[in-house]
Amino acid sequence: MKIYKILLFSILIISFVLRFYELSTNPPGLYIDEVSIGNNAYDILTTGKDEHGESYPLFFKAFGEYKMPVYVYMTSLSIGLFGKNELAIRLPSALLGSLTILVFYFFVRKLLGLSKEKIEPRIEKIALLSSFLLAIAPWHIHLSRGGFEAVVALFFFMLGFVLFLYFFENKKLLFIGLSIIMFSLSIYTYNSYRIIAPLSVLFLGILYIYIHPKEKKNILGSFILFGVLIFPLLLFSISPEGSQRFSQTSVFNEVEANSILDKLIQYPLAVFRNYLSYFSFHFLFNTGDGIGRHQIHNFGPLFKWQLPFLLAGFFALIKIKEKHAKWIILFLIFVSPLAAAFTLPSPHTLRSLTLVIPFTFLISLGLIYIYERLYKFRKVIFLVFFLAVLYELLIYRHFYYVHYPQVNDRDWGSGYKEMLYKASELGKDFDYVIFDSKFNSLPYYSKFYTGNKNPLMVRSKWKKPKEWRDKKVLYVRPYYGPDAYENIIYEISLPHDKSFIYAQFWSL
Amino acid sequence: MKNKKLFSVIFLLAFQLLPLRFWVNCKSFLDTIYFSAYDLELQIIDLIHKDASVPIFVARFFHNKVTQFALDVYKRYTHFLDIGFFASFITFVGIFGMLLGIWYYLNSKKKDKRIGLIILLSFVIPFIEVLFNPVLPFTFKVILIIIPFQVLSAYGHYQFIKKKRSKLITTVYLILIIISIIWIFFLPDAVYKYCII
């Protein structure tokens, strides 16, 4: 028993190291949504109002897409502790991302050991292996290191699942109450869970009634509690503001269908096609969704060596004795990409993050299954497995710390920070500091890094007006090609790509 | 009774050939599917250039021909394992049959070596295509790839029809046939995602 605890503790250490090491500097920069979260969180902390002047809002207007509140409020706490910087914005995600490993361990343990008097060593092994694989999963590590609400939502979602499983066993109302609160929190953290969480509560409720047919009362009570907790969100969802995000990203926007009959065929087909894209091996093991913020170039959300074990895991799942475990995992596989299937682009690594849970479980199940079947060759298997895991983990780490900042720095808004700090420093000797409008996200970055939410912005390739001829102007613009260099007083490159001139500072 | 089962399997196999109607319009699989030694060289050079800040032995440890070859071939090969590819190649009925074939093979106490060989061929033939791109007419290549898939799914369908109740069989296949028809005829571009016309 003690050895399991030591192993679990070691896995937790690994998960924290992989998620926190150089968190402030890699990913390089802050992407625009992180900045928006940071600005709103800071305003809430200092004034009690969001950037649009609303007091303690339940939904943050932000760019008009209306962000869910939990991550913003958590970030305001971390900004209070660590100041307005990259670490504070990413802390909730990295911290709860690391703790998800612990929750996942208890999830697997409870899932396979439900109603058993004693947890068998085999179950302990699968639980430990699953949590280890999640700790090193590129899908989960990568997203935990950015200010992504989905990671925090997954933590609450999984905690909700674990607590519900505890309720299955000991029938204490406290567990189901807490579980419902966790499921509700996941909804108030990330949009995908507006669909995933209610379906999960319904599924768990039905499963519970199926196992304990005489105990419907508690389940009905939990449904009512859930309804009450998500009622404000339901009201919000049917408002134009609440459906804003979906109408921006809806898959139906791109379907060309005129007649009703056409729509009846094309709409479900578009969703089905999107849905299937989440089970593409090319997506899972090679490319991911192609969005630079979501994975490393040429790496999928899962490790390449895991493919055969994932397939073996499916096979092992069908043969598994614990029926409820089978149904719960199959349900998770079914429901995880459901919300994402209604949106574009597809596949989308972030919106389908929940899939990492059943897939990681299946991979560990597959590993154990193959290990047990080929017990005679266990030493060889262990050696091959160990080397494959280690080598791909090392390659991943190398790509993440050496290549990723060079290749994907522009995906993360890299350069804004350096440019704004330099403009503040040089601007002391000028009457005006003005920025080229090509830096279109600058007001948000400026507010975050310097506190100035209204920097002077001018159209591209602006010329100094006559009425300003006595004024000293610092004009900050992107590199537009070779030009009259006598007016350029400074140039900055991207921190990780010195060959690319990010901004030129012109003295006019 | 046995004839009825055989007839059902033949019907399903014939149905699985429907997408070939679109594949015969293609000239080749996409270029991204094929391995290229020249492309591999370029990839390694590009990767090593990005490693200016690390010692050369570290760069070579991660970016060498063996590793990059394995990663590159793996990447190209997984196109053939894509569910979208299978759906457009042998329909959802075929996917179901193949999965059943593997399932029944793995669960059988006395393993039929011929089925084992077919499973092996199903995975090996696409691999040869990725690696060597043999100079053969495209239609011939498609037929070559599809044969082990068809045989494996035939085995799967037959076992399923033999062992399950007819109500379940009818329902499952009816659903799969409807989905496949919609997929093939309303999404022909799903085929052309994998080949050049």
Side-chain angles (χ1 to χ4, degrees):
Chain A
M1 206 59 198
K2 203 178 169 188
I3 184 79
Y4 295 138
K5 282 180 184 165
I6 293 168
L7 283 171
L8 181 63
F9 184 69
S10 311
I11 291 167
L12 272 179
I13 299 282
I14 291 169
S15 73
F16 270 89
V17 170
L18 290 172
R19 281 154 186 78
F20 276 90
Y21 180 64
E22 292 186 358
L23 185 63
S24 301
T25 51
N26 196 14
L30 283 176
Y31 88 104
I32 189 70
D33 276 348
E34 287 182 309
V35 172
S36 171
I37 288 170
N39 283 333
N40 278 296
Y42 184 73
D43 286 351
I44 285 288
L45 183 72
T46 52
T47 66
K49 291 176 179 171
D50 73 352
E51 59 184 350
H52 296 280
E54 200 176 327
S55 290
Y56 297 106
L58 191 53
F59 304 101
F60 286 82
K61 190 176 175 186
F63 304 121
E65 85 284 24
Y66 287 88
K67 286 189 192 305
M68 291 288 132
V70 173
Y71 199 94
V72 180
Y73 285 108
M74 288 178 101
T75 308
S76 64
L77 282 178
S78 62
I79 287 179
L81 286 170
F82 298 99
K84 199 160 67 160
N85 53 40
E86 289 85 354
L87 176 70
I89 290 175
R90 291 169 182 165
L91 185 73
S93 175
L95 181 68
L96 294 186
S98 306
L99 290 176
T100 305
I101 304 335
L102 187 66
V103 175
F104 187 48
Y105 166 79
F106 285 109
F107 169 75
V108 176
R109 206 168 174 266
K110 198 65 5 205
L111 186 71
L112 297 175
L114 203 64
S115 309
K116 285 182 181 163
E117 277 178 27
K118 205 181 161 196
I119 300 289
E120 302 153 16
R122 186 177 185 269
I123 293 173
E124 279 288 0
K125 280 177 199 161
I126 297 174
L128 280 171
L129 187 61
S130 300
S131 52
F132 171 69
L133 292 178
L134 188 63
I136 62 163
W139 202 340
H140 198 258
I141 294 174
H142 195 98
L143 296 179
S144 298
R145 293 180 61 94
F148 292 117
E149 298 118 312
V151 179
V152 173
L154 180 65
F155 170 81
F156 290 129
F157 178 74
M158 287 313 297
L159 198 54
F161 244 98
V162 172
L163 289 164
F164 214 112
L165 290 178
Y166 273 90
F167 171 70
F168 261 80
E169 197 167 68
N170 57 30
K171 295 170 194 170
K172 282 185 184 164
L173 286 178
L174 176 71
F175 286 112
I176 193 167
L178 285 173
S179 166
I180 293 298
I181 290 171
M182 292 304 143
F183 278 123
S184 307
L185 275 173
S186 74
I187 298 180
Y188 284 102
T189 310
Y190 190 58
N191 284 317
S192 292
Y193 291 88
R194 285 198 218 184
I195 291 179
I196 298 174
L199 287 176
S200 301
V201 170
L202 188 68
F203 167 78
L204 286 170
I206 291 169
L207 191 67
Y208 184 84
I209 292 171
Y210 177 73
I211 295 170
H212 310 284
K214 288 176 186 168
E215 295 172 39
K216 291 176 189 159
K217 221 163 65 181
N218 292 337
I219 295 300
L220 280 176
S222 70
F223 284 172
I224 291 167
L225 175 65
F226 189 61
V228 170
L229 289 174
I230 64 164
F231 187 67
L233 183 87
L234 287 176
L235 282 182
F236 177 69
S237 294
I238 52 172
S239 71
E241 294 85 3
S243 54
Q244 188 76 15
R245 185 67 185 145
F246 179 67
S247 50
Q248 283 167 1
T249 56
S250 165
V251 63
F252 306 131
N253 292 339
E254 286 201 358
V255 176
E256 286 174 22
N258 299 321
S259 65
I260 294 175
L261 184 70
D262 217 11
K263 281 179 185 171
L264 276 175
I265 295 172
Q266 294 290 352
Y267 281 9
L269 193 60
V271 174
F272 182 59
R273 189 185 191 177
N274 272 359
Y275 187 81
L276 278 190
S277 70
Y278 288 92
F279 300 96
S280 150
F281 287 162
H282 201 55
F283 158 70
L284 289 171
F285 298 100
N286 277 324
T287 57
D289 61 12
I291 298 170
R293 283 190 301 276
H294 296 166
Q295 66 274 303
I296 300 171
H297 180 59
N298 275 342
F299 271 85
L302 300 173
F303 282 124
K304 293 180 195 337
W305 64 263
Q306 294 177 331
L307 196 156
F309 300 107
L310 180 68
L311 296 175
F314 268 106
F315 186 76
L317 182 76
I318 296 171
K319 298 192 108 185
I320 207 170
K321 283 178 203 157
E322 295 84 358
K323 271 192 177 171
H324 60 274
K326 188 191 302 185
W327 287 115
I328 287 173
I329 293 298
L330 286 175
F331 170 77
L332 279 173
I333 293 169
F334 160 75
V335 83
S336 300
L338 203 58
F342 285 88
T343 62
L344 284 175
S346 183
H348 195 280
T349 314
L350 185 66
R351 292 184 197 135
S352 59
L353 176 66
T354 322
L355 258 184
V356 75
I357 296 297
F359 281 170
T360 306
F361 175 76
L362 287 181
I363 291 161
S364 62
L365 205 61
L367 263 164
I368 298 279
Y369 182 79
I370 289 178
Y371 182 81
E372 285 171 350
R373 289 295 167 288
L374 304 171
Y375 192 72
K376 268 194 264 176
F377 311 103
R378 65 188 183 282
K379 282 180 186 167
V380 181
I381 291 172
F382 183 77
L383 190 70
V384 171
F385 169 69
F386 179 75
L387 289 177
V389 173
L390 187 69
Y391 191 58
E392 199 170 353
L393 191 61
L394 285 174
I395 293 184
Y396 178 77
R397 193 201 159 281
H398 173 76
F399 269 88
Y400 191 84
Y401 286 102
V402 180
H403 292 246
Y404 189 66
Q406 297 177 57
V407 179
N408 295 88
D409 46 4
R410 270 167 268 180
D411 290 314
W412 287 93
S414 187
Y416 274 109
K417 182 181 180 181
E418 294 74 14
M419 179 177 74
L420 284 160
Y421 284 168
K422 200 70 199 172
S424 299
E425 186 193 322
L426 297 173
K428 286 170 193 156
D429 301 328
F430 290 84
D431 297 312
Y432 295 107
V433 178
I434 56 171
F435 294 89
D436 193 288
S437 58
K438 279 268 163 144
F439 297 116
N440 52 2
S441 305
L442 188 94
Y444 304 102
Y445 283 92
S446 174
K447 188 184 175 198
F448 184 78
Y449 286 118
T450 67
N452 175 14
K453 60 180 174 184
N454 291 312
L456 282 173
M457 305 280 286
V458 291
R459 68 180 190 282
S460 295
K461 296 188 180 177
W462 169 84
K463 297 267 187 305
K464 187 178 172 181
K466 281 177 188 165
E467 54 269 31
W468 277 18
R469 71 181 156 242
D470 300 332
K471 305 286 183 191
K472 281 183 77 181
V473 177
L474 178 67
Y475 172 38
V476 187
R477 55 168 248 188
Y479 176 72
Y480 286 127
D483 221 325
Y485 267 78
E486 64 269 20
N487 289 332
I488 298 170
I489 57 168
Y490 200 81
E491 282 181 336
I492 60 163
S493 304
L494 284 176
H496 299 281
D497 185 4
K498 299 293 175 202
S499 61
F500 181 78
I501 299 169
Y502 184 74
Q504 293 178 323
F505 295 75
W506 290 59
S507 170
L508 301 173
Chain B
M1 195 65 183
K2 201 180 174 186
N3 279 347
K4 202 177 159 191
K5 282 172 190 166
L6 272 176
F7 177 76
S8 305
V9 174
I10 291 166
F11 168 75
L12 292 171
L13 293 182
F15 179 80
Q16 286 170 206
L17 292 174
L18 271 183
L20 284 185
R21 177 178 172 272
F22 297 98
W23 283 93
V24 289
N25 296 333
C26 298
K27 285 179 186 157
S28 145
F29 287 115
L30 284 185
D31 287 344
T32 47
I33 283 175
Y34 295 112
F35 168 74
S36 147
Y38 177 67
D39 190 37
L40 185 74
E41 287 278 345
L42 291 179
Q43 285 177 35
I44 296 172
I45 292 168
D46 181 46
L47 290 169
I48 290 176
H49 274 204
K50 291 206 170 65
D51 277 0
S53 60
V54 300
I56 188 69
F57 73 91
V58 175
R60 295 305 300 187
F61 180 68
F62 293 118
H63 312 306
N64 51 65
K65 277 185 184 166
V66 178
T67 307
Q68 203 52 36
F69 172 78
L71 294 177
D72 192 57
V73 170
Y74 181 99
K75 182 181 168 183
R76 292 168 198 278
Y77 179 66
T78 44
H79 276 107
F80 280 105
L81 298 182
D82 211 273
I83 192 160
F85 170 76
F86 275 114
S88 307
F89 203 63
I90 52 160
T91 74
F92 289 101
V93 178
I95 297 176
F96 184 63
M98 281 182 71
L99 292 174
L100 287 174
I102 296 171
W103 170 260
Y104 284 119
Y105 173 75
L106 291 174
N107 273 327
S108 57
K109 279 178 188 158
K110 208 177 165 193
K111 303 261 186 292
D112 188 337
K113 280 181 185 165
R114 289 169 301 179
I115 300 299
L117 183 71
I118 290 294
I119 293 173
L120 190 71
L121 280 177
S122 303
F123 290 98
V124 169
I125 292 179
F127 189 71
I128 293 170
E129 179 66 17
V130 168
L131 219 48
F132 303 110
N133 187 10
V135 188
L136 293 170
F138 185 68
T139 315
F140 185 67
K141 277 185 186 183
V142 169
I143 292 168
L144 215 60
I145 295 172
I146 217 167
I147 286 172
F149 292 171
Q150 285 282 67
V151 177
L152 183 58
S153 58
Y155 173 71
H157 291 315
Y158 185 73
Q159 294 296 327
F160 185 68
I161 290 170
K162 204 168 78 176
K163 287 173 187 169
K164 298 287 170 186
R165 283 177 294 121
S166 61
K167 229 180 196 177
L168 176 79
I169 295 164
T170 316
T171 315
V172 169
Y173 282 119
L174 210 60
I175 292 169
L176 288 171
I177 287 172
I178 291 169
I179 296 172
S180 299
I181 288 174
I182 294 173
W183 183 270
I184 299 163
F185 291 101
F186 286 88
L187 280 178
D189 61 315
V191 171
Y192 302 129
K193 214 175 111 184
Y194 299 95
C195 74
I196 301 167
I197 306 169

